[in-house]
Amino acid sequence: MSSITKDMVIFPRLFRRLKEYPALGNPSPAGFPAFLAGTADRFRILSTHTFIVGLHHVVEITNGQTLRLTQPVEDLLFDEK
């Protein structure tokens, strides 16, 4: 938790999802992409004009525990309902 509150710059949508996930009782990073798929966040990748549902499309987990966006945060535009 300290890496996402002190060490890294993170955008609010992903931060909220990172905060919600451990509260479900499954803190394993391996299950996080499936959790993101279920939250159905709607957004557009501006550089490709692609409309997407689910942050799991732009997040990857490396080394079993390092979360990384695969697109620059400034390239994502969220659709607020």
Side-chain angles (χ1 to χ4, degrees), residues 4 10 14-22 32 67:
I4 62 173
I10 193 165
L14 186 56
F15 185 82
R16 281 193 302 268
R17 299 298 179 230
L18 283 166
K19 187 166 171 40
E20 293 167 354
Y21 182 62
F32 191 61
L67 178 72

Side-chain angles (χ1 to χ4, degrees), residues 12-73:
R13 179 72 53 118
L14 186 56
F15 185 82
R16 281 193 302 268
R17 299 298 179 230
L18 283 166
K19 187 166 171 40
E20 293 167 354
Y21 182 62
L24 298 176
N26 183 8
S28 169
F32 191 61
F35 169 75
L36 290 176
T39 60
D41 292 302
R42 299 165 40 106
F43 62 97
R44 183 177 309 250
I45 299 176
L46 298 173
S47 62
T48 62
H49 307 288
T50 306
F51 181 77
I52 297 180
V53 177
L55 278 171
H56 64 290
H57 292 289
V58 294
V59 168
E60 71 178 9
I61 296 178
T62 58
N63 301 329
Q65 61 184 341
T66 302
L67 178 72
R68 181 177 94 73
L69 283 172
T70 60
Q71 297 290 324
V73 69

